[in-house]
Amino acid sequence: MKRTVVLRTAALLAAFLMFTPLFFLSSPILSQSDEDCMVCHEDPELKSGDGKSLHVDSEEFRSAIHGEAGFSCVDCHSDLREIEEFPHPVKLKAVNCGECHDDAAKEYQTGIHIQASPEEDCCAVTCADCHGKHDIKSTTDISSRVYPLNLPQTCESCHLERVKTKRGGEFIKQYEISVHFKALEKAGLTVSANCSSCHGAHDIKSVVDASSRVSRKNIIRTCGQCHVGIERDYLEGAHGKDYVKGIKDVPVCTDCHSEHDITSPQDLSSPVYATKVADVCSRCHDDEVLARQYGFLTERLKTYSGSFHGTASKFGETRVANCASCHGIHDIRPSVDPKSSINPKNLPQTCGKCHPGAGENFAQGKIHVVSEKTGNKWAYSVKMFYIIMIAAIISVFLVFIAADLFHRLRHNRAKP
Amino acid sequence: MSAKEKDISGSKTMTKNPSLILDDEVFLRMNLAERIQHIVLITTFLILMLTGLPLIFYELKFLKPIFSLEKSFYVRGILHRVAASVLILNVIWHAYYTIFTKRGRNNFKELLPGLKDLKDAFELFWHNLGLMRFLYRKGFLKKFLEAHPYWLFEKAPEFGRYNFIEKFEYWAVVWGSVVMIISGFFMWNVELSLSLFPLWVHDIFVIVHGYEALLAFLAVIIWHMYNVHLNPEVFPMSKVWLNGKITGKELRTLHPLEYQKILEERKERL
C-alpha cells in the first residue's frame, strides 16, 4: 500500500517535471511567436501615433545578449501574453527588467536615477537608457554601452546638457581632461576609473547623500578601491587619523586632487603639481579659523614663499622643495611623531634627498620663519641693520642730489 | 660754463701758469685695463641684478611672465653664477692690478678716504644749499658770519684725483663685492655652508645677499647714475669710461687739486 503511493507520487512528479519545461517553452508558440511580432515590427517605417519608431531590428536583437540566449519578445514584453488580437492596439507597458535582474533592481531602488523625476509616474532614467533596448550586450562585451571604455559617453549623453546637475555639464566634462579618462581613452586601460568606478552603477547617489560612494565619508574607500597603498598611507598620516575620527574639515582625496579633472601630479594643470602644492596646502594651513580650532601654525605659505624654495617655486622651478618634499604626501605626520619626515632626527635624511651629505646643521634653525625677531635674532639684527642703513644712505644720496640740482638751477637762472 | 666752474677757477694759483697745462690737453684718467675692469663690472652687475633682484620681489606679478618659460628659472641660475664667476675674476684682476702696478698702487693711495672727504661732503652740501649766504643777505647771524666767513661756504670744496663721491662709490663696490662674494659663495654651495654652519647662519647669508643687492642696486641707480649721467655737468653721459680721457679744462674744474699737483710737477721740471 505504502509502496504504491510512493510510486504513484514519483510517477506524477516525473511526468510533471518532464512536461513542465515543454509547457513553458511551447507557450509562446501557442500564443505569439517572434515571427508574428516581426510581421509588423520588421518594417523600418512603422511608427506609433506620436511618431516614435516601432521598428525592431531582428538581426540586432539576435546578436544581443537576450537574443543569443533565446529569449523571445513576450519574455520581456510580458503583457503581450494575454493579448490575442493583432495588431495590438495598446501601448505596451515598460519592460520590467527586475523580474529577472532582481539584485540590480533592488540597488536601483536606492539610487538617484529612480528619484530623478518625481512628477512622472516612473523613473527618469530607466534600465534601457543606459543598457539599451533590443541591442543590450553583456557588460563584459566591448561594444556594450556600459563597458568601461564606453560608459563615459553613455553617461555624458544625458549629463552634458539634457540633465541639469547642480554643478553643470562643464563639471561633468572635466572628466575628459583627467588622467583616468586619458588612461581609458588613450591607453585603453579598462581598470582606469570610469563614471561607475566612483559613483556606482545602479545605486548612484547624490554627493550630499552620506551613503553615496563619493560623499566625504566614503570617498577615501572609493578611491582606495584602486589606490590601495595610498589609502593605507593616508590613514596612517595626520589627515587620515583625523578623518577616521569623523572630523569634517580634514582634507579627503578630492580636496587636494580635485574631482572629475584629476590629473597626474606631473601635469602642469594638476593642483598638486610641484609649484602649486603650496597653494593647495595653504588653503587650510593659512586659515586662521581652522588653525585656532585644530591648533596648528599659520603663515605657512608666506614663510615658505620667503625662502629660496618658495621663491624659486613661484617662478616655476620644480626641482626645489615644495610642501610635500619635506612633509610627505599622503602620510603627513606631525613633527613630534618619530616617523615624521620633519622630526628633527629625520631632517638630515629628508633634506639629504636633495642636499647630499646633509648633516645635523640642517636642523639647527627654522624653515618656516614667521618672525626673525623671535626665530633668529642674529638674522633679525642683520636685517634691521640693512634696512636702517639702506634708508639712511639713500636719504643722504637724495638730499645731496637735491641740493646739487637746487644750486645748479639757481645759478643757471641767475645767468642771463 | 657753469657757476661752479667760476667758483673753482677763482683760485688764483691755478690760473698763474696756464701755458703749462692747456685746456685742450688730454690726460688719461682711466687706462685700458681700468676701463675693461669697469666694463666687466657694468656687464656682470647688470646680469646679476636682472637675474637676482626678481627673487627679492617674488610677489610682484609682472615678474612672473619672465620666468614662466620652461627652464627659464634654471637658466637664470646659470646666468647668475656665470656672471658671479666673471665678477670674481674681475675682482681678482683688479686686486692684482692694484698691488702689482705702479699706477694701480697710486690710484689706491688716491682712493684712500680721509677726514678731508667728510669735510668736502659737508662743505659741498652747504655750499649747494646756500642757506647761510641767504641768511647773511637777509641780515641774520651777521656778526657771527663776518667773524667766521667759513660758515658762508662761499667756495665749493676743491677735489683731488678722486672726490669724496668717487671714493665712496669705490669703497662701496669693494665692500659690496666682498659681502656678495662670500654670502653668494655659501648660497651657491649650500651643502658646504651647512656642513660648516648651522641653518640660522646660512639664513643670514641669504638675508645679507638680498639686502646688500638692494643697497647696491639703489646706490647705482640713484647715486652713480646721477653723478655720471643725469648731472647737468655731464649730461647725457661722461665719456671717461669709454675713452678714458679727461681734458686739461675738465681737470682744472673737476679735480683742481690734481691739476695743481701736475702743474707743480711740471714747474719743478722746468
Side-chain angles (χ1 to χ4, degrees), chain A residues 8-168:
Chain A
R8 255 197 197 156
T9 318
L12 265 172
L13 197 68
F16 182 75
L17 283 173
M18 269 172 76
F19 289 102
T20 306
L22 191 66
F23 173 78
F24 279 110
L25 277 176
S26 62
S27 67
I29 305 163
L30 291 177
S31 51
Q32 304 88 31
S33 67
D34 286 2
E35 283 71 34
D36 291 337
C37 300
M38 293 318 282
V39 167
C40 298
H41 288 283
E42 194 92 74
D43 178 10
E45 299 299 316
L46 187 69
K47 282 191 177 114
S48 68
D50 51 357
K52 271 187 194 166
S53 174
L54 295 172
H55 168 64
V56 175
D57 187 336
S58 59
E59 282 299 312
E60 192 183 64
F61 176 68
R62 263 192 289 273
S63 65
I65 190 162
H66 293 128
E68 269 183 340
F71 280 61
S72 68
C73 305
V74 294
D75 287 336
C76 296
H77 298 286
S78 51
D79 49 342
L80 276 178
R81 286 181 203 147
E82 283 89 50
I83 295 170
E84 276 167 18
E85 282 186 27
F86 288 89
H88 56 91
V90 287
K91 200 179 162 196
L92 296 183
K93 274 192 217 153
V95 170
N96 180 8
C97 305
E99 273 184 24
C100 303
H101 300 283
D102 49 349
D103 283 348
K106 225 180 274 167
E107 282 179 10
Y108 175 69
Q109 296 294 323
T110 65
I112 194 166
H113 280 149
I114 199 168
Q115 309 159 9
S117 183
E119 63 268 16
E120 279 177 40
D121 304 351
C122 184
C123 22
V125 182
T126 61
C127 310
D129 288 323
C130 301
H131 292 278
K133 289 175 181 170
H134 299 110
D135 59 344
I136 297 172
K137 297 275 166 64
S138 158
T139 52
T140 54
D141 186 322
I142 194 165
S143 64
S144 164
R145 288 175 202 219
V146 293
Y147 189 72
L149 296 179
N150 307 325
L151 189 64
Q153 211 187 338
T154 302
C155 298
E156 283 182 353
S157 66
C158 291
H159 282 284
L160 283 192
E161 282 174 27
R162 200 163 68 80
V163 180
K164 298 279 179 242
T165 47
K166 221 178 224 171
R167 293 168 69 175

Side-chain angles (χ1 to χ4, degrees), chain B residues 182-194:
Chain B
I182 292 173
S183 59
F185 174 79
F186 285 118
M187 286 165 76
W188 185 345
N189 301 288
V190 57
E191 286 91 11
L192 172 71
S193 172
L194 285 166

Side-chain angles (χ1 to χ4, degrees), chain B:
Chain B
M1 216 171 99
S2 74
K4 193 176 178 181
E5 189 191 330
K6 243 187 276 166
D7 290 339
I8 296 166
S9 60
S11 174
K12 274 170 198 165
T13 51
M14 269 176 259
T15 43
K16 249 183 195 168
N17 293 298
S19 56
L20 278 178
I21 299 178
L22 295 172
D23 269 2
D24 55 357
E25 188 182 344
V26 170
F27 292 87
L28 188 64
R29 185 158 168 80
M30 287 176 88
N31 70 11
L32 189 63
E34 289 158 7
R35 295 202 305 272
I36 293 174
Q37 285 169 13
H38 181 242
I39 287 170
V40 172
L41 181 65
I42 296 175
T43 318
T44 52
F45 183 86
L46 267 176
I47 296 173
L48 288 165
M49 284 295 158
L50 286 173
T51 56
L53 279 183
L55 270 65
I56 303 179
F57 302 106
Y58 57 87
E59 272 168 79
L60 294 184
K61 285 221 170 70
F62 75 88
L63 286 169
K64 265 217 124 158
I66 308 174
F67 295 108
S68 63
L69 295 166
E70 204 187 341
K71 295 254 171 191
S72 60
F73 193 83
Y74 173 75
V75 173
R76 177 217 70 87
I78 297 293
L79 273 176
H80 198 80
R81 286 162 169 86
V82 168
S85 305
V86 175
L87 177 68
I88 291 170
L89 291 177
N90 200 38
V91 166
I92 293 171
W93 179 23
H94 178 73
Y96 174 86
Y97 174 83
T98 304
I99 297 167
F100 294 106
T101 69
K102 199 177 171 230
R103 191 182 154 89
R105 285 194 297 274
N106 190 51
N107 282 347
F108 185 79
K109 261 182 244 158
E110 293 283 347
L111 278 163
L112 285 172
L115 266 181
K116 183 184 181 300
D117 297 302
L118 268 181
K119 223 176 120 219
D120 284 353
F122 178 74
E123 287 174 9
L124 182 65
F125 176 72
W126 285 102
H127 169 76
N128 281 339
L129 207 60
L131 178 67
M132 300 309 260
R133 296 195 294 283
F134 173 79
L135 289 175
Y136 180 71
R137 280 202 303 280
K138 295 286 171 195
F140 296 101
L141 298 168
K142 210 151 193 159
K143 259 189 198 162
F144 172 79
L145 288 170
E146 269 164 9
H148 306 278
Y150 169 80
W151 292 98
L152 283 170
F153 302 106
E154 202 69 65
K155 275 194 328 184
E158 291 182 341
F159 305 124
R161 178 167 171 80
Y162 299 111
N163 64 28
F164 72 90
I165 296 171
E166 288 154 342
K167 285 185 186 181
F168 182 86
E169 287 186 12
Y170 178 79
W171 289 107
V173 173
V174 171
W175 158 261
S177 300
V178 170
V179 169
M180 294 308 272
I181 289 169
I182 292 173
S183 59
F185 174 79
F186 285 118
M187 286 165 76
W188 185 345
N189 301 288
V190 57
E191 286 91 11
L192 172 71
S193 172
L194 285 166
S195 69
L196 299 172
F197 312 110
L199 180 62
W200 65 267
V201 172
H202 184 81
D203 284 343
I204 293 176
F205 291 142
V206 178
I207 288 174
V208 164
H209 203 77
Y211 279 96
E212 185 65 35
L214 203 60
L215 176 61
F217 173 72
L218 290 173
V220 166
I221 282 292
I222 296 172
W223 195 228
H224 193 57
M225 287 301 108
Y226 177 74
N227 290 319
V228 299
H229 286 286
L230 299 175
N231 187 328
E233 193 126 41
V234 295
F235 189 83
M237 180 178 75
S238 163
K239 289 190 187 66
V240 179
W241 72 282
L242 291 174
N243 55 28
K245 289 171 189 165
I246 186 168
T247 63
K249 188 179 169 189
E250 283 166 334
L251 202 60
R252 175 158 53 77
T253 56
L254 299 171
H255 304 281
L257 296 182
E258 190 188 10
Y259 178 89
Q260 212 179 329
K261 205 172 154 190
I262 295 169
L263 204 66
E264 241 123 70
E265 277 169 17
R266 289 186 181 183
K267 254 195 270 175
E268 269 171 38
R269 242 179 275 159
L270 272 173

Side-chain angles (χ1 to χ4, degrees), chain A residues 311-312 314-315 319 355 361-362 364 376 382-383 386 394 397 399-400 403-408 411 415, chain B residues 1 3 54-55 64 67 73-74 121 125 127-129 191 194 197-200 208 211-212 226 231 233:
Chain A
T311 306
K314 272 209 165 167
F315 284 120
R319 293 174 306 156
H355 300 286
N361 277 338
F362 274 77
Q364 303 287 310
N376 185 347
V382 169
K383 194 175 171 179
Y386 264 106
I394 299 304
F397 285 167
V399 167
F400 255 82
D404 192 62
L405 284 171
F406 172 69
H407 180 255
R408 286 171 201 285
H411 284 262
K415 248 172 54 177
Chain B
M1 216 171 99
L55 270 65
K64 265 217 124 158
F67 295 108
F73 193 83
Y74 173 75
F125 176 72
H127 169 76
N128 281 339
L129 207 60
E191 286 91 11
L194 285 166
F197 312 110
L199 180 62
W200 65 267
V208 164
Y211 279 96
E212 185 65 35
Y226 177 74
N231 187 328
E233 193 126 41

Side-chain angles (χ1 to χ4, degrees), chain A residues 179 182 257 262-277 318 322 329, chain B residues 70:
Chain A
V179 71
K182 274 184 194 152
H257 291 278
I262 294 174
T263 44
S264 155
Q266 276 82 45
D267 190 320
L268 190 63
S269 65
S270 167
V272 290
Y273 182 70
T275 60
K276 294 181 178 168
V277 163
T318 55
N322 57 53
I329 304 171
Chain B
E70 204 187 341

